[in-house]
Amino acid sequence: MSNVKKEKTVKWGEEPKLSILDALYLPAIASGVATAIRHAVSGKATTRQYPEVEPEIPPNYRGVHRLNRDEEGRVKCVACYMCQTACPANCIEIIAAPAPKDDPHWKDRDKYPATFTIDELRCIYCGMCEEACPVDAIELTSIYDLTGLSRQEMIFDREKLLSVFDETVKSGKDPVRTHRGVLGPASETAATAKQAPPPPGRGRRG
Amino acid sequence: MWVWLKESWPILWPTLAAIGVILAVVPLLGLYMTFIERKLAAYVQDRIGPNRVGPFGLLQAVADGIKIFLKEQVIPDHVYTTLYFLAPAMSLMTAMFALVVMPFGPVPTDYEGGFRFVVQPGNDIGILFMMAISSLSAYGIIVGGWASNNKYSIYGAIRSCAQFISYEIPLGLSIIGVIAITGSLNIEKIVEAQSGSILDWNVCWQPLALLIFFTAALAETNRLPFDLPECEQELVGGFHTEYSGIKFVLFFLAEYTHIVTVSFLTALLFFGGWHFPGLPNPTGGTTLGMILGLAVLLFKVSMVVLFIILLRWALPRFRFDQLMGLAWKGLIPMGLVHLVGVAIVLSLGLPKHLLILTAALPIAAAYYSSVKFNASMGRWNALESGVRKTSAVSYE
C-alpha cells in the first residue's frame, strides 16, 4: 500500500485490522451485555410519566377551540362568517340572528350567532379561524387531550365552546394573546363607534 | 379396572401430579415471561415498562391473557385450513412433550415412591428423548408457514427449517462430551455426576461445550440474535404473520416453553442442577433438602432465563449467511475437535479436567480467521489501488 503514490486531495481510508479479540466476538458480546446491564440497573427512566406528569404545552399551542365572552358575559362573536369562510376543512357552521333589540342586555349589539358549531373531528387545527376573526371571538386553547365516545360528542355547539372558555379561564390554561373581554371595532354599533377607541393594550392579559 | 387403579395409585399419583404441575405452571410461566421480558426491555432502554395493571404492573400478564383469549378468531381466506389449525397445536405439543423427562426439581436417583419433580423419573434415554422431541418443534413452524400460504410466512418457515437442521448438529456434538464422560443419558445421573465441588460442574471443565450448547440452543429457540424465522423488519412476522388471537398465543407459548427448556437444560447439564457447594445433597430425600435443591435449581434457571432475555437487547440480529457460517464453519468444527478431545481423555484415562484445554480452540479459530481476514483485506486494498491507478492512467 505504501508504494502507491497517494493523491493529496483524496482522503485515504483503510479498514481497521481485525484483531484476535474482534474475531472471537466474545468480548464484543460481553461489552454489549454489560451495556444492557448497566442501563437495566441504573434505575433511571428518561421517559415522561404522562398521566401523572403532564407535558408543558406552549401558550400558542393550537388545541380545542373556544368562543370568548365579552365583558358582560355575552358571546363575543358577531356572526360575520369570516372564520367559516377561512376554514380550509369546512368544519365551522354558523347561523346568524339579529341581536334582540328589546333586551337591554343586547342593546349595543347588531348580530349574534344563533348557532355556532365546530366539528372537532373535521378540524385540522390550523388556526386560520382565529386569524380571520375580526373580534377575537374564536381562539384555540392549549387543551390537547380531547377525547369522546361518539362522533356526535365531538361536534361542539355554542354553549360547549363557551364552556371551554369558562374552563380555560378558570384553570389558568388561558391562551392570553387577544383582547379578551373588550369588544373590537367590528362588534360595535353605530352609537358606540363614535366613542373614542379603547387605549392600546387595555384588556390584555385580563 | 378399579382394583388396577387402586394397586397402581402409589405410582400413578406422583406422575399425574407432575403432569399437573407442568400443565399449570408452563402457561402461567409463559405469560409472566412476557411480562418480565417487557419489564427488562424497558429497564435496558431506560423506560419503566408496564406499570398500570396491579401493583408494579404485575397483573399486566393476566390482562394480556384475558385480552388475547377474547380476541376474534381471524382465519384468512387463503390459508390451508386444516394445517393452519394444526400448526400451533403441534408447536406447543412438541414443546411441552420435551418437558416429560426434564427434572424441574431435585430427583433422588433411588426412585422411591412419592412426589418427584419430574413426570418420568429415571428415563435412561432422557436427554436423547429431549433432543429428539425438541427437534420436532420445527414441524410446527414449517407447517404454520406453509399453511399460511403467504410468501413471508414460507420464507420464515424455510429459514427456520435450515436453521434447525444446522443447529441440531452442534447441539448434539456439545452434549456428547457431557454424556460420554458421565456414561449415561439419564439427566438425573448427569446431575448426580456434578454433585461434588464446584469444579465438578461441567461448565468448569468443558466451557467450550457450554458455549456451543448455549449458542445452538439459542438458535433452536428462535430467539435473538437468531430470530431470523420471525424477524419483523424483513418478514413482517415470519411464520406467524397470519396468526392472531389464541393460535398466535400457542406459538408464543411454545417459544417461551423452549426458552424454559433450554434454561433448565443449561442449568442441569452444565451448572450442576440442584447441587450447590456447601448445601447438603438433597438426594437423601429430606424435605428441607428437597426445598433447598428446588430453590437452587430455580435460581440457576431464572439466571439463565434472564440472561437469554438480556441478550435480546444486547445483540443485533445475524444475517442469514452469517448464521449458517457460524454453525457450519464455527460451531460444528469446534464441536468435532472437542469430541476428539473427549475421546482422547476417555480412552487414555486422563483426568477429565484436561478438557479445559479445548477452551483454547475458539481463540485459535479467532486468530486464524483474523489473520485470514487481514490478508484478504490487504489483497483487496492492493487490488483497489491497482484499479484506481490503471483507471487514472487511462483517463489521462
Side-chain angles (χ1 to χ4, degrees):
Chain A
M1 281 304 300
S2 51
N3 56 353
V4 182
K5 191 189 161 201
K6 290 184 180 174
E7 291 164 34
K8 292 252 165 49
T9 52
V10 178
K11 214 171 186 185
W12 282 75
E14 273 179 37
E15 287 80 0
K17 292 237 187 279
L18 196 69
S19 71
I20 302 181
L21 289 182
D22 296 335
L24 194 59
Y25 293 121
L26 292 178
I29 290 174
S31 84
V33 171
T35 307
I37 290 177
R38 202 168 56 242
H39 278 273
V41 299
S42 74
K44 272 184 295 183
T46 54
T47 45
R48 177 187 289 127
Q49 302 308 307
Y50 164 61
E52 284 89 32
V53 185
E54 293 203 0
E56 279 184 23
I57 301 294
N60 61 346
Y61 185 84
R62 300 198 298 266
V64 179
H65 312 75
R66 71 180 196 185
L67 268 185
N68 288 349
R69 293 180 188 276
D70 64 9
E71 284 159 322
E72 290 168 44
R74 300 169 300 191
V75 59
K76 211 173 160 188
C77 173
V78 295
C80 67
Y81 291 87
M82 293 279 266
C83 52
Q84 187 177 342
T85 313
C87 181
N90 286 332
C91 67
I92 305 179
E93 202 184 326
I94 305 171
I95 296 176
K101 283 293 172 192
D102 319 335
D103 193 348
H105 191 56
W106 286 95
K107 69 177 190 313
D108 59 340
R109 294 280 296 275
D110 275 345
K111 224 170 142 196
Y112 83 112
T115 68
F116 192 111
T117 50
I118 299 182
D119 189 344
E120 298 282 342
L121 292 175
R122 248 186 158 188
C123 175
I124 59 171
Y125 299 96
C126 62
M128 279 166 85
C129 48
E130 188 180 23
E131 277 179 45
C133 186
V135 293
D136 293 339
I138 188 168
E139 266 184 322
L140 298 184
T141 63
S142 55
I143 298 174
Y144 58 91
D145 47 357
L146 178 68
T147 53
L149 295 175
S150 65
R151 285 174 185 277
Q152 203 52 46
E153 204 177 304
M154 300 295 277
I155 297 174
F156 281 21
D157 63 359
R158 195 184 65 183
E159 299 314 312
K160 176 79 185 163
L161 289 165
L162 284 171
S163 76
V164 175
F165 171 79
D166 295 337
E167 243 171 65
T168 45
V169 169
K170 230 188 297 166
S171 68
K173 277 185 177 174
D174 205 3
V176 291
R177 60 194 139 179
T178 53
H179 305 267
R180 175 159 62 72
V182 181
L183 286 177
S187 57
E188 287 164 351
T189 56
T192 53
K194 288 178 195 140
Q195 297 168 1
R202 186 185 142 205
R204 226 174 254 269
R205 305 190 189 283
Chain B
M1 173 69 192
W2 188 243
V3 176
W4 173 82
L5 194 66
K6 214 169 181 184
E7 276 172 6
S8 56
W9 186 244
I11 316 165
L12 201 59
W13 80 262
T15 313
L16 289 179
I19 291 174
V21 167
I22 285 186
L23 282 184
V25 167
V26 164
L28 208 66
L29 209 62
L31 274 181
Y32 266 91
M33 272 176 74
T34 56
F35 173 73
I36 293 167
E37 175 143 29
R38 284 175 68 183
K39 207 71 176 162
L40 198 62
Y43 287 143
V44 169
Q45 295 164 0
D46 290 343
R47 295 185 284 118
I48 285 187
N51 63 349
R52 292 282 140 194
V53 194
F56 308 105
L58 275 173
L59 297 179
Q60 179 72 45
V62 182
D64 282 347
I66 293 171
K67 169 236 170 192
I68 213 146
F69 269 93
L70 296 178
K71 268 183 96 160
E72 187 191 353
Q73 295 290 313
V74 181
I75 304 161
D77 274 347
H78 53 76
V79 299
Y80 303 129
T81 318
T82 316
L83 292 179
Y84 180 75
F85 278 103
L86 205 57
M90 277 169 83
S91 196
L92 185 62
M93 190 195 75
T94 48
M96 299 269 264
F97 212 10
L99 298 179
V100 167
V101 293
M102 193 193 67
F104 49 92
V107 182
T109 34
D110 46 1
Y111 310 124
E112 280 169 14
F115 183 72
R116 287 143 316 192
F117 295 88
V118 62
V119 177
Q120 195 198 3
N123 191 331
D124 280 333
I125 54 158
I127 188 76
L128 201 60
F129 177 80
M130 222 153 160
M131 290 293 136
I133 293 295
S134 63
S135 319
L136 281 181
S137 67
Y139 275 101
I141 292 176
I142 293 164
V143 169
W146 178 260
S148 295
N149 198 5
N150 161 330
K151 53 180 177 266
Y152 293 116
S153 299
I154 195 72
Y155 271 135
I158 290 170
R159 283 182 175 191
S160 116
C161 192
Q163 189 173 321
F164 266 87
I165 289 171
S166 304
Y167 279 87
E168 278 295 309
I169 304 167
L171 196 68
L173 285 176
S174 63
I175 55 171
I176 282 180
V178 175
I179 293 166
I181 293 197
T182 314
S184 173
L185 287 164
N186 187 332
I187 297 180
E188 289 108 64
K189 288 199 177 130
I190 292 174
V191 174
E192 200 51 44
Q194 308 175 53
S195 62
S197 72
I198 206 164
L199 285 178
D200 281 328
W201 290 7
N202 285 335
V203 62
C204 291
W205 52 276
Q206 36 186 348
L208 177 63
L210 173 68
L211 186 70
I212 298 173
F213 173 82
F214 193 70
T215 314
L218 216 55
E220 293 277 301
T221 59
N222 289 335
R223 289 287 296 184
L224 266 162
F226 304 108
D227 69 336
L228 283 112
E230 47 190 291
C231 56
E232 294 84 3
Q233 291 87 347
E234 296 165 27
L235 297 182
V236 193
F239 61 90
H240 57 61
T241 306
E242 304 287 358
Y243 286 88
S244 65
I246 192 72
K247 292 190 284 298
F248 172 72
V249 173
L250 293 188
F251 272 131
F252 213 65
L253 215 54
E255 193 186 311
Y256 279 105
T257 311
H258 271 131
I259 297 173
V260 173
T261 313
V262 161
S263 308
F264 264 104
L265 272 186
T266 313
L268 290 168
L269 297 183
F270 290 97
F271 288 97
W274 48 83
H275 297 294
F276 200 80
L279 284 185
N281 194 342
T283 47
T286 62
T287 316
L288 181 70
M290 294 288 258
I291 291 172
L292 272 178
L294 182 68
V296 166
L297 180 62
L298 291 187
F299 172 75
K300 288 174 183 173
V301 169
S302 54
M303 283 298 122
V304 180
V305 168
L306 283 182
F307 184 68
I308 290 178
I309 293 177
L310 204 62
L311 270 185
R312 173 169 182 185
W313 308 108
L315 300 182
R317 180 184 296 128
F318 276 68
R319 216 170 51 210
F320 200 74
D321 61 314
Q322 292 171 333
L323 183 85
M324 288 291 126
L326 181 67
W328 291 98
K329 295 192 241 164
L331 298 182
I332 292 176
M334 281 202 286
L336 287 171
V337 176
H338 176 71
L339 197 58
V340 171
V342 171
I344 291 172
V345 164
L346 269 184
S347 53
L348 297 186
L350 299 172
K352 64 183 181 181
H353 283 88
L354 272 181
L355 271 178
I356 204 166
L357 291 178
T358 54
L361 212 61
I363 299 170
Y367 177 71
Y368 175 74
S369 77
S370 73
V371 167
K372 286 280 278 187
F373 178 82
N374 290 338
S376 74
M377 280 328 277
R379 271 203 306 281
W380 172 252
N381 283 338
L383 182 73
E384 184 86 323
S385 52
V387 169
R388 250 186 115 263
K389 216 166 140 192
T390 46
S391 72
V393 166
S394 66
Y395 179 72
E396 282 161 2

